[in-house]
Amino acid sequence: MFKIRKAKEEEPSAPGQVRIRKKSRVPGVMITQFVEELPEGMTTPDFTRKPISITIQEGKLVVFRAVITGNPVPTVTWMRNNGEIDEERYKIIYDASLGEHQLQMPDVSPDQADTYKCYAKNDYGKAIVTATLNIIEVGYKKNKAMQQSRTAIRETAEDFKKALRNRIDMEQKEEKKPETDEKFWEVLLSAEKKDYETICAQYGVTDFRGMLKKLNEKKVEREQEQERVVERLCNLKPIEMTDNGDAEFELEMSLKDSSSKIFLFKDGVMIPYDVDTEVKHGLKQVGKKFVFSINGVDPEDAGLYQVEVDGVKIFSTDFKLPNVEFLVKIEDVKAEEREDAVFDCVLSQPLKKITWKGKNIPLEQGEKFDITVSEDMLIHTLVVKDCMPLDKGIYAAVAGMASCSAWLIVEADTDPSSRGKKKARKTTRAGGRGEELLKIAEEQNAKVQLEKDELVAKIRAEQEAAAAAEAAAAAEKAEAEAKAKMEAEARAKAKAEAKAKAKTEAGDSTAVDEEGMEGNEEEGDEVDDEQDDEEDVESEENEETEEKQDVKGKDVSSPKQGEAVEEGEAPPQVAEEEETAPAKRNRVRKGPLIPETVVDPGVYFTSGLSDVTAVIGTDAELVCRLSSEDCDGVWYKEGKEITPTDDICIVKDRTYRKLIIKNCKEEDSGKYRCEADGRKTEAVLKVEDPPRFNPDELAEFKEPRQIKIGKDVSFKVSFVGREPMKIQWYHDGEELLEDTNIKIEKSSSHSRLQLTKCKRKTSGEIKIKVKNECGTTEIISHLVVLDKPTPPMGPVDIIESSSTCIDFKWRIPKDNGGSPITNYILERQQIGRNSWKKLGKIGSEPKYRDTDVDHGRKYCYHIRAETDQGVSEMYETDDIQAGTKAYPGPPSTPKIESAFKDCINLSWSAPSNTGGTNLLGYNVEKRKNGSNLWGLVNPPDEPIKGKKYAVKDVVEGIEYEFRVSAINISGVGEPSAPSEFVFARDPKKPPGRVIDLKVSDSTYSTLSLSWTKPTEEEGVQDEAKGYFVELRPAENPEWGRSNSSAIIMNSYTIMGLKSMAMYWVRVVATNEGGDGEPQELDNYIIAMPPPVRPHFTDKKMKNFVVMRAGNATRINFNFQASPIPNIKWLKDGLPVAKNVTVSNTDTSSQLMIASSERHDTGIYTIIVKNIVGQETSSVEIRVTDDPKPPGTVELEENVSGTVTVSWTPSPDEKKDDRLHYIVTKRDSVKRTWQTVADRLFNNKFTAVNIMPGRQYKFRVYAKNDMGVSEPSESPTWEVRRRKEKCALSLPESKDCSFEMSPSFTVPLKTHKSPESYECYMSCAVTGNPRPHVTWYRNNVSLNTNTNYYVTNTCGVCSMVILKVGPKDSGDYTVIAENSLGRAMCSTKLVVNE
């Protein structure tokens, strides 16, 4: 036992220390820092997970858990407020794998309820946290403990004296024996045998024999406890992770009491659960199957889970999350359409299976997905077969709490040639890292195997050490036993000699005999005392028995005088004492049990006894089997030998030994043993007294009871069985309780159920269930309460409703009242009358045929059911009409079978709707072409019976159409659709060949034909009524018709031909007499337009194009040519470069340069050529850019009155041969810039008319096809005027400024213009500097609109609208602005329609 002092409220600080209070991130943790500043990398202790307060039932396992951080690593101690923490009742454990400090209290008791503190301390500070433990006491455990304390056997002084010698050894042995965690046994009790070795390795248990022995004992105890609350327990499945990230475990359990409460514990702490599986802990029950689930598993859910029923442990399972990480995670895969994609990863620990998810849906092995695992179970692979765009998304791999994810990107096939076609499956795979993963997996497998080998070596070393210690202890024990044996033999020999000597000296006298006997007694007492000093434990009762045997002389045989006792052989008296000793006292024998010369015959039990459970009053049989037939067996009950009696038979059947107990009684229960040749086998006979019914009453009880409604009935049954017994009565599975109409009598021998004023719903199954501690029995009877039936049920099903009868049926009553239906009673009412006509009883069949009806009348019926118990209420049917008039539908369209000048033959099909009755015949009508009147062909009172008819009432040469109507009992139905028009004339002759068949037009996919109709020859060939065009490809010998029905036109266009394919074509004329002979074209035709020489169709073709560098260039040429020409583009007479794209169609060609550069400048020529001829056209493309300005401008005077302007060339001059320069001038008098030179291709210009006394500036611009550059400006140039001195004094003159803001001298006028006419607007504006003029319509600028022609000439601003439309109506505004101001003028244009 170790003691830890209690924590004090105030601890004095060491010299130089401070006490700084700090706040922890975890609420409830107090941190004290010992130094003002922490060194770099050092921290004070802190709790990342603190112990929580627990309220738990006594007898459970309590675990306080804490996870602590700090550098250096803190020292952790546990304390309690009121008491001490000792090793016997507390366990302080550190779990290195979880980094968790635990304080465990197995089998917690109420006195351990207290406030516990956990201290973490290092050199820089300490952290403290508290947790409270509350214990719920259980009543029956308190009573049991008190009873044990009252009935405990008190030790006497002698027992204490005899046990004192071995106390030290026993304490030492107990200290050496390690205590096994209670959690280990709980897990082992619910585990399968195949998992024993793994569980022992996890908890470090090496004594497998001791473990199995103790496990069997605990299983027996646990089963005995479970029998109190559970009838059956099976199919225990340990906790496992599911695919959706949850965990669950299940078991099948039959509760003895359905109201028993089920509790769920985690690490000994009761946790709440709900039948709703959406909460954290859920329970789902299906029949006898219970499934416990943990939703949203996180690391804190790991622990021991236990299921208890009414305080009895039923099932335990240890939940450990697999400590698995992804050494190599899955990566994004980019796959093509119809290609396989591969995701693979490597784990840190072997796993048989991981969960693969695609778009958050678990994936399984199948046609779409292939999931594989390597042999070392480290590499896991997912193959997505035949990838389609729909498979794109995120795929994830989940192993325990670890997961990784990656994207699958599927690139669709953009090949236009395969659009609309089914693409072929590709044999390639995207993704997968192959050899790289194998190498990583091999290294990890070697590492895992090394860890396993180290663990196995450690366990083997522990087992060998334990075996060596056990062998040493056994040798020590054997040596001690041998020594004790020798000492015992010596004492026995001395004792025998002393007794023999005493008897010899006694002689024949009685006095001497008595003295000898007294001497023997004293010597015996001395020897016994010596044995008491040497032996471990000996009872006083045995000593008194030995003294009595010596005095009476019973069972004592001493050696005769002069007879020596062999060395090593015990006297008979000692031998007998030693043989009887094991049955009466527990002590260690020092002498031999049997002479050493006895040899083991080798007889043993090949089959031992098994526990037997028998019902009181029946026979029980215990059977075992020996290896030999000659050996007899001796039977014992509770240590007493059994002899055969009338109720007990001992049978020897060859090697079988049987004990048969007839008519078992409760006192026959007990432990039975069979011994044979020193070997034994034991079993327990358990005689139970379950409830049993009186067999004589069973037949009477089971027979169904029939009573009338409102009467009373009782059920009585007798039974026997061990008390107490629980008696329950059930009606249709629902337990009956005392009520107004229910009375239940119960006693120890019988029970009676009485039901008063029974109702119809009381009918059903009556069951009595009797239960005691030995079992349950039940018997079932049936009760039938007779009553009148309920009304028959509808709806009525009408079998026939005609003018002569109404045949209908209905459904039988829902409840026949317990008696069969004998009759149905009907009465009828005709709608419109008040009286009911009784139809009487019609029998037990639920149908009726009423033949006494009037056609078209409606009737209502009342139906009642009759049984032996009475007549039901009536059921009233809906109104039923007799002979409802239902006309037949229209027959099919009449078909013209044949036509002659005096007869036309017709045929048709019957209508699908006959109106519910048989058809009486048909009417045939005819109508002339152009008439609106139909005339009946057959007489009105003679309908046509068949579906064929020959119409003879026709006039030759007249065209007729026909229709047919069906007739049933209700009348004539709707007529059919009219037939085709047919002439009343004899059959015609087929027409002749068409005339002048020719091709009128053709394209690459169509062919147009025209012809003249054939001539008529009476009696040879008649007029053609239509034509069929037939087509045959050159490679196909069979003709096919282009039109499905005959055409009446003399022209036809065949569609859908294959370009440039060869075809044979012919035309067939047809009429009523059949098809004529075909007329073919003289030669095959080719699907192509007529030959056309290539020519361009563009009205205005560009021959010069300027493009800005970097922009796209497109040149289009439209042409017409047949057949399709070959197109060729050239640049400066050479093939175009690779960066030039050419797109051709049948009628156009386009040249495109995606990003034009200066080197693309040149003359591009298109050549369009076919078999008829060719055509060419050229266009010059100039690729340029805005020019860069010229360099420095210099001025020089070479001739008086002139100035030479020179400048550095623009950088673009060498690149652009069309670049030139513009020179402008400005003097100090005019102050406006004037162009003095344009289109200069050199870098020098001489300006003339330079006036002395004025200042000049020059600007030089570079210009090309794209525009004008920024100007380069010269310095100021001035030729000073030589002034002569003059005495005149002139008044100062002021400078005159000609600058002015814009103003309109002539404003705009309002215009009205007719639609589609030209409109001209103008105005005049002045201003200096020259104003910029902008035109607007409805505030939208028109200067850039090509539909309006805007000019500004010498201040006259004009705009012309060439073709006025309604959209041109609106307000027009002209705005003139310069640097000095702005002017505006507006007008309105009205367009007249």
Side-chain angles (χ1 to χ4, degrees):
M1 178 187 296
F2 62 92
K3 298 181 180 179
I4 301 176
R5 63 182 177 81
K6 295 173 60 176
K8 297 181 180 179
E9 294 296 328
E10 294 293 336
E11 266 187 20
S13 301
Q17 285 188 349
V18 295
R19 298 176 63 84
I20 302 174
R21 299 289 185 183
K22 292 180 62 177
K23 187 175 182 181
S24 172
R25 294 181 180 178
V26 179
V29 178
M30 295 181 292
I31 301 177
T32 305
Q33 184 174 317
F34 295 157
V35 294
E36 293 185 356
E37 293 185 3
L38 290 171
E40 186 177 355
M42 300 299 169
T43 59
T44 57
D46 194 3
F47 287 81
T48 59
R49 178 182 176 184
K50 69 173 185 177
I52 60 174
S53 299
I54 296 175
T55 300
I56 197 170
Q57 185 178 344
E58 65 172 306
K60 306 295 182 183
L61 171 67
V62 176
V63 181
F64 284 119
R65 306 171 188 271
V67 178
I68 302 168
T69 60
N71 190 14
V73 178
T75 303
V76 180
T77 55
W78 296 83
M79 299 183 185
R80 59 178 292 189
N81 277 358
N82 302 316
E84 297 176 349
I85 296 179
D86 55 66
E87 288 183 346
E88 294 181 358
R89 306 177 67 187
Y90 298 87
K91 293 182 183 179
I92 298 177
I93 298 173
Y94 175 67
D95 190 341
S97 62
L98 301 176
E100 195 175 70
H101 296 267
Q102 299 180 2
L103 175 63
Q104 297 184 1
M105 290 170 258
D107 196 16
V108 68
S109 58
D111 61 335
Q112 290 177 277
D114 201 350
T115 299
Y116 291 80
K117 295 183 179 180
C118 181
Y119 290 80
K121 186 174 181 181
N122 64 7
D123 297 338
Y124 302 101
K126 67 176 181 179
I128 308 172
V129 68
T130 61
T132 305
L133 174 62
N134 299 316
I135 307 299
I136 302 173
E137 298 184 22
V138 182
Y140 78 88
K141 288 192 175 181
K142 292 164 81 176
N143 299 336
K144 184 177 180 181
M146 293 176 63
Q147 184 177 0
Q148 288 178 352
S149 63
R150 291 175 187 151
T151 58
I153 300 175
R154 307 296 180 182
E155 290 186 351
T156 61
E158 292 80 2
D159 296 332
F160 178 75
K161 178 181 176 183
K162 293 174 182 177
L164 187 60
R165 298 189 189 103
N166 296 330
R167 180 176 179 182
I168 297 175
D169 295 336
M170 292 170 64
E171 287 182 356
Q172 289 177 352
K173 290 180 180 178
E174 289 177 359
E175 288 176 1
K176 290 180 182 178
K177 184 179 179 181
E179 186 174 353
T180 307
D181 190 358
E182 187 66 25
K183 182 178 178 181
F184 165 74
W185 297 111
E186 291 297 334
V187 175
L188 211 59
L189 282 169
S190 300
E192 297 182 6
K193 290 184 179 180
K194 64 179 182 179
D195 299 328
Y196 285 176
E197 185 175 354
T198 305
I199 297 172
C200 289
Q202 290 177 357
Y203 289 88
V205 176
T206 57
D207 184 10
F208 296 112
R209 290 185 179 179
M211 179 273 294
L212 291 173
K213 182 178 179 181
K214 188 172 181 181
L215 178 63
N216 291 331
E217 295 175 358
K218 285 184 172 288
K219 278 188 175 181
V220 172
E221 294 176 3
R222 180 62 56 84
E223 289 172 357
Q224 290 175 353
E225 292 180 359
Q226 292 176 350
E227 285 178 356
R228 295 194 289 109
V229 294
V230 177
E231 290 182 352
R232 183 172 176 268
L233 182 66
C234 62
N235 294 337
L236 307 177
K237 293 186 179 179
I239 192 166
E240 290 181 351
M241 292 283 293
T242 60
D243 293 339
N244 56 3
D246 300 337
E248 63 180 29
F249 62 94
E250 61 183 57
L251 63 153
E252 290 187 14
M253 177 172 59
S254 298
L255 300 176
K256 288 193 173 183
D257 188 358
S258 58
S259 62
S260 298
K261 293 185 177 181
I262 302 175
F263 301 95
L264 182 63
F265 293 84
K266 176 181 175 290
D267 293 333
V269 180
M270 185 185 300
I271 54 177
Y273 65 85
D274 199 347
V275 293
D276 183 10
T277 55
E278 297 299 326
V279 299
K280 181 63 177 176
H281 299 91
L283 168 64
K284 180 172 65 175
Q285 181 180 359
V286 181
K288 297 179 181 179
K289 183 177 180 181
F290 295 82
V291 180
F292 293 85
S293 59
I294 305 172
N295 297 317
V297 173
D298 51 52
E300 295 183 355
D301 291 324
L304 179 66
Y305 287 83
Q306 293 175 299
V307 178
E308 293 192 4
V309 177
D310 289 345
V312 177
K313 295 177 181 178
I314 300 299
F315 179 57
S316 302
T317 179
D318 193 13
F319 183 35
K320 291 186 178 180
L321 293 173
N323 188 17
V324 179
E325 296 179 355
F326 286 92
L327 297 181
V328 179
K329 298 182 178 180
I330 61 177
E331 294 182 348
D332 294 344
V333 177
K334 192 173 184 180
E336 296 181 358
E337 188 174 356
R338 301 222 69 184
E339 187 179 25
D340 292 351
V342 180
F343 294 96
D344 47 12
C345 59
V346 179
L347 304 180
S348 60
Q349 296 292 333
L351 272 185
K352 293 182 180 179
K353 181 183 179 183
I354 67 173
T355 302
W356 289 94
K357 293 185 177 181
K359 303 176 185 177
N360 291 328
I361 299 174
L363 307 179
E364 295 182 357
Q365 177 75 28
E367 296 181 358
K368 185 64 179 176
F369 302 101
D370 190 8
I371 300 174
T372 58
V373 184
S374 61
E375 291 183 1
D376 54 13
M377 292 183 288
L378 291 177
I379 302 177
H380 293 254
T381 307
L382 169 67
V383 180
V384 184
K385 303 177 185 177
D386 194 8
C387 291
M388 304 300 287
L390 292 175
D391 298 326
K392 177 182 176 182
I394 297 177
Y395 289 77
V398 182
M401 296 300 296
S403 64
C404 58
S405 60
W407 272 90
L408 171 60
I409 301 172
V410 181
E411 294 182 340
D413 190 356
T414 57
D415 185 5
S417 62
S418 62
R419 190 169 299 166
K421 300 179 182 178
K422 185 175 181 181
K423 302 173 182 61
R425 173 81 180 274
K426 297 182 179 179
T427 58
T428 57
R429 285 189 171 188
R433 287 163 281 187
E435 298 296 332
E436 179 186 353
L437 294 190
L438 287 175
K439 185 176 179 181
I440 297 173
E442 287 175 0
E443 295 175 357
Q444 183 65 18
N445 190 26
K447 184 178 178 182
V448 172
Q449 191 63 36
L450 181 61
E451 292 177 356
K452 286 185 179 179
D453 294 343
E454 290 177 355
L455 180 61
V456 171
K458 182 179 178 182
I459 294 175
R460 286 180 178 174
E462 292 176 355
Q463 291 177 350
E464 290 174 0
E470 187 177 351
E476 230 178 273
K477 184 177 179 183
E479 186 179 349
E481 288 179 354
K483 186 176 179 182
K485 178 179 178 182
M486 293 176 63
E487 292 177 357
E489 289 177 355
R491 285 196 300 271
K493 185 175 182 181
K495 183 177 178 182
E497 290 176 355
K499 288 184 178 181
K501 184 178 179 181
K503 287 189 178 182
T504 305
E505 292 176 355
D508 297 330
S509 65
T510 306
V512 177
D513 189 18
E514 290 176 357
E515 290 176 1
M517 292 178 66
E518 290 174 0
N520 288 338
E521 289 176 3
E522 291 174 0
E523 290 177 2
D525 293 340
E526 291 176 0
V527 174
D528 290 340
D529 291 339
E530 291 176 1
Q531 290 178 351
D532 288 342
D533 293 338
E534 298 295 334
E535 292 173 2
D536 296 335
V537 181
E538 184 173 354
S539 64
E540 296 179 359
E541 180 181 356
N542 294 339
E543 292 178 359
E544 293 174 2
T545 306
E546 289 179 1
E547 291 175 359
K548 292 178 181 179
Q549 290 175 352
D550 289 342
V551 173
K552 296 180 181 179
K554 294 181 180 178
D555 298 332
V556 177
S557 58
S558 58
K560 296 180 180 179
Q561 188 174 1
E563 192 177 37
V565 179
E566 295 181 5
E567 186 177 354
E569 182 177 347
Q573 179 185 359
V574 177
E576 289 181 7
E577 289 176 357
E578 291 178 355
E579 285 179 1
T580 56
K584 298 182 180 180
R585 58 186 176 181
N586 295 324
R587 64 185 179 87
V588 179
R589 292 190 176 276
K590 302 301 182 181
L593 180 63
I594 56 175
E596 294 180 356
T597 57
V598 178
V599 181
D600 186 6
V603 178
Y604 57 91
F605 287 96
T606 59
S607 176
L609 294 176
S610 300
D611 292 345
V612 176
T613 301
V615 177
I616 192 169
T618 62
D619 296 346
E621 183 178 289
L622 296 169
V623 182
C624 60
R625 188 175 184 181
L626 292 171
S627 60
S628 175
E629 298 182 4
D630 301 332
C631 185
D632 293 332
V634 182
W635 292 87
Y636 297 88
K637 176 190 175 186
E638 303 292 350
K640 296 181 180 180
E641 186 176 352
I642 300 174
T643 58
T645 62
D646 294 340
D647 294 332
I648 298 176
C649 297
I650 298 176
V651 179
K652 178 181 178 183
D653 183 8
R654 291 186 295 179
T655 58
Y656 290 95
R657 305 294 180 266
K658 299 181 182 180
L659 176 65
I660 301 175
I661 303 172
K662 300 179 181 179
N663 195 17
C664 290
K665 308 176 186 60
E666 289 191 13
E667 52 268 21
D668 291 331
S669 299
K671 184 183 290 186
Y672 288 80
R673 184 174 76 249
C674 180
E675 293 185 359
D677 198 14
R679 301 182 183 269
K680 63 181 178 179
T681 176
E682 294 181 348
V684 175
L685 172 61
K686 186 177 181 182
V687 180
E688 295 182 344
D689 188 9
R692 302 180 304 284
F693 294 107
N694 187 350
D696 299 334
E697 299 179 359
L698 286 179
E700 181 182 354
F701 184 87
K702 291 181 179 179
E703 189 174 346
R705 305 280 189 89
Q706 287 188 353
I707 61 169
K708 291 190 176 182
I709 188 170
K711 300 296 182 180
D712 300 343
V713 65
S714 63
F715 296 87
K716 182 179 179 182
V717 64
S718 302
F719 47 81
V720 293
R722 184 181 301 169
E723 296 184 5
M725 287 184 284
K726 184 177 181 181
I727 304 168
Q728 295 171 296
W729 288 88
Y730 294 88
H731 175 253
D732 286 338
E734 184 176 351
E735 186 176 358
L736 296 175
L737 302 175
E738 289 276 354
D739 200 357
T740 306
N741 298 327
I742 302 174
K743 294 183 180 180
I744 301 175
E745 297 178 6
K746 299 179 182 178
S747 69
S748 60
S749 60
H750 73 277
S751 179
R752 182 170 179 267
L753 170 67
Q754 184 173 5
L755 304 174
T756 60
K757 298 180 181 179
C758 293
K759 300 180 180 178
R760 173 63 183 159
K761 65 180 181 180
T762 313
S763 301
E765 180 185 89
I766 303 295
K767 179 174 71 174
I768 180 173
K769 183 177 181 181
V770 184
K771 177 170 64 174
N772 65 4
E773 62 181 4
C774 298
T776 303
T777 185
E778 59 184 31
I779 53 174
I780 299 174
S781 182
H782 288 83
L783 174 63
V784 179
V785 180
L786 302 176
D787 193 6
K788 64 180 182 180
T790 58
M793 295 190 298
V796 168
D797 186 9
I798 300 174
I799 301 172
E800 181 183 354
S801 175
S802 63
S803 59
T804 58
C805 73
I806 296 176
D807 193 356
F808 61 95
K809 62 181 179 180
W810 57 90
R811 295 166 60 192
I812 63 174
K814 186 176 182 180
D815 182 11
N816 61 6
S819 301
I821 303 295
T822 57
N823 278 300
Y824 288 98
I825 303 174
L826 271 70
E827 56 183 358
R828 185 188 74 183
Q829 180 192 43
Q830 183 178 320
I831 302 303
R833 296 183 180 180
N834 295 327
S835 60
W836 287 85
K837 178 182 179 182
K838 293 185 179 181
L839 303 177
K841 299 179 180 181
I842 64 169
S844 59
E845 289 293 327
K847 64 179 180 179
Y848 181 66
R849 183 180 181 88
D850 191 358
T851 56
D852 185 16
V853 294
D854 296 331
H855 187 213
R857 299 286 185 182
K858 292 184 178 181
Y859 297 90
C860 178
Y861 296 86
H862 283 174
I863 308 173
R864 294 180 176 86
E866 183 183 28
T867 65
D868 296 340
Q869 304 300 319
V871 180
S872 70
E873 299 293 328
M874 66 141 182
Y875 164 71
E876 185 173 334
T877 67
D878 295 333
D879 297 344
I880 304 174
Q881 185 174 357
T884 304
K885 293 188 177 181
Y887 297 97
S892 65
T893 303
K895 181 180 178 182
I896 308 297
E897 295 290 343
S898 59
F900 301 95
K901 63 180 179 181
D902 56 354
C903 178
I904 298 175
N905 295 314
L906 306 175
S907 65
W908 60 87
S909 300
S912 57
N913 177 22
T914 62
T917 59
N918 296 328
L919 295 178
L920 302 179
Y922 300 92
N923 283 341
V924 176
E925 298 175 280
K926 68 177 180 178
R927 183 175 66 175
K928 296 179 182 179
N929 190 3
S931 174
N932 294 327
L933 300 176
W934 288 92
L936 195 63
V937 174
N938 58 297
D941 55 348
E942 296 180 7
I944 302 169
K945 302 297 182 181
K947 286 177 276 190
K948 292 182 179 180
Y949 190 69
V951 181
K952 297 181 179 180
D953 185 14
V954 293
V955 179
E956 183 179 0
I958 303 299
E959 194 174 14
Y960 296 93
E961 63 177 342
F962 301 91
R963 68 181 184 183
V964 183
S965 303
I967 306 171
N968 66 2
I969 192 171
S970 298
V972 180
E974 296 180 10
S976 67
S979 67
E980 298 178 354
F981 282 99
V982 59
F983 281 96
R985 61 187 178 189
D986 292 337
K988 284 188 174 184
K989 299 291 184 179
R993 294 173 181 263
V994 297
I995 303 171
D996 194 18
L997 176 62
K998 61 183 178 179
V999 177
S1000 59
D1001 190 17
S1002 65
T1003 65
Y1004 290 110
S1005 59
T1006 64
L1007 177 66
S1008 297
L1009 303 174
S1010 63
W1011 60 87
T1012 305
K1013 68 178 183 177
T1015 59
E1016 297 183 37
E1017 296 182 16
E1018 188 175 354
V1020 178
Q1021 56 188 35
D1022 288 333
E1023 180 185 6
K1025 293 297 184 180
Y1027 305 94
F1028 289 103
V1029 178
E1030 296 182 347
L1031 185 72
R1032 178 175 70 85
E1035 67 275 6
N1036 191 349
E1038 295 183 1
W1039 291 89
R1041 286 190 173 179
S1042 299
N1043 52 320
S1044 58
S1045 59
I1047 59 173
I1048 60 174
M1049 303 292 294
N1050 293 348
S1051 61
Y1052 184 74
T1053 300
I1054 304 173
M1055 312 291 287
L1057 300 182
K1058 188 177 179 181
S1059 177
M1060 301 301 293
M1062 292 189 299
Y1063 296 94
W1064 293 94
V1065 182
R1066 68 184 184 183
V1067 177
V1068 179
T1070 184
N1071 61 11
E1072 295 85 347
D1075 296 339
E1077 294 184 6
Q1079 176 64 51
E1080 294 187 24
L1081 288 173
D1082 297 335
N1083 201 355
Y1084 64 85
I1085 57 99
I1086 299 176
M1088 58 172 284
V1092 176
R1093 186 179 185 278
H1095 65 276
F1096 295 100
T1097 58
D1098 295 317
K1099 294 182 178 179
K1100 293 182 179 181
M1101 297 174 61
K1102 296 180 180 179
N1103 55 13
F1104 181 76
V1105 177
V1106 179
M1107 297 301 300
R1108 187 185 299 275
N1111 289 356
T1113 302
R1114 287 183 177 85
I1115 302 297
N1116 290 316
F1117 282 96
N1118 297 316
F1119 57 83
Q1120 187 175 2
S1122 179
I1124 298 174
N1126 293 324
I1127 301 171
K1128 187 176 181 180
W1129 283 87
L1130 301 176
K1131 177 193 173 188
D1132 297 331
L1134 299 175
V1136 294
K1138 293 182 179 179
N1139 65 320
V1140 178
T1141 304
V1142 176
S1143 301
N1144 298 323
T1145 65
D1146 294 347
T1147 59
S1148 67
S1149 179
Q1150 182 191 70
L1151 179 141
M1152 186 182 73
I1153 305 174
S1155 179
S1156 304
E1157 300 294 339
R1158 289 181 183 270
H1159 59 76
D1160 293 322
T1161 300
I1163 298 175
Y1164 289 81
T1165 303
I1166 180 174
I1167 302 175
V1168 184
K1169 181 179 180 181
N1170 65 2
I1171 58 177
V1172 182
Q1174 75 175 26
E1175 185 75 13
T1176 61
S1177 181
S1178 298
V1179 59
E1180 181 181 357
I1181 299 177
R1182 180 170 293 277
V1183 181
T1184 183
D1185 206 344
D1186 291 332
K1188 295 180 181 178
T1192 306
V1193 180
E1194 297 178 355
L1195 302 178
E1196 183 181 2
E1197 183 181 10
N1198 294 324
V1199 179
S1200 179
T1202 65
V1203 62
T1204 300
V1205 183
S1206 61
W1207 57 90
T1208 304
S1210 169
D1212 292 337
E1213 183 175 315
K1214 294 181 180 180
K1215 303 177 184 178
D1216 193 347
D1217 58 351
R1218 293 174 63 86
L1219 184 138
H1220 57 276
Y1221 299 96
I1222 301 173
V1223 181
T1224 60
K1225 179 187 72 172
R1226 180 178 183 272
D1227 60 33
S1228 57
V1229 176
K1230 293 183 179 180
R1231 297 184 180 182
T1232 59
W1233 290 96
Q1234 296 177 349
T1235 302
V1236 294
D1238 194 0
R1239 300 190 65 80
L1240 294 176
F1241 288 91
N1242 58 0
N1243 307 118
K1244 188 180 291 186
F1245 173 72
T1246 301
V1248 296
N1249 297 329
I1250 302 301
M1251 304 294 293
R1254 295 186 181 181
Q1255 292 181 349
Y1256 292 91
K1257 279 192 175 183
F1258 294 90
R1259 288 180 178 175
V1260 181
Y1261 299 85
K1263 183 178 181 181
N1264 63 7
D1265 295 325
M1266 188 56 62
V1268 181
S1269 71
E1270 294 293 326
S1272 295
E1273 192 168 330
S1274 71
T1276 304
W1277 176 267
E1278 181 180 3
V1279 178
R1280 295 187 178 274
R1281 178 184 296 175
R1282 294 180 182 179
K1283 296 183 180 180
E1284 295 181 358
K1285 293 183 180 180
C1286 182
L1288 291 175
S1289 60
L1290 297 175
E1292 292 185 7
S1293 62
K1294 296 181 180 179
D1295 294 337
C1296 181
S1297 176
F1298 293 97
E1299 293 183 352
M1300 61 180 293
S1301 60
S1303 63
F1304 286 91
T1305 57
V1306 177
L1308 292 171
K1309 296 181 180 180
T1310 303
H1311 291 267
K1312 290 185 179 181
S1313 175
E1315 187 177 353
S1316 300
Y1317 277 68
E1318 184 180 281
C1319 178
Y1320 179 84
M1321 298 182 185
S1322 64
C1323 62
V1325 62
T1326 62
N1328 190 17
R1330 183 179 177 182
H1332 179 268
V1333 178
T1334 306
W1335 287 80
Y1336 292 88
R1337 180 176 66 82
N1338 296 334
N1339 296 325
V1340 178
S1341 176
L1342 302 177
N1343 282 23
T1344 58
N1345 195 328
T1346 56
N1347 295 326
Y1348 300 88
Y1349 183 66
V1350 178
T1351 59
N1352 184 2
T1353 306
C1354 298
V1356 177
C1357 303
S1358 60
M1359 182 183 68
V1360 179
I1361 306 174
L1362 298 177
K1363 194 174 182 180
V1364 176
K1367 63 179 182 179
D1368 295 321
S1369 298
D1371 296 328
Y1372 286 79
T1373 305
V1374 180
I1375 296 177
E1377 54 186 344
N1378 63 8
S1379 59
L1380 299 178
R1382 176 180 180 184
M1384 182 173 65
C1385 182
S1386 299
T1387 186
K1388 189 172 184 180
L1389 172 63
V1390 178
V1391 179
N1392 297 327
E1393 295 182 359

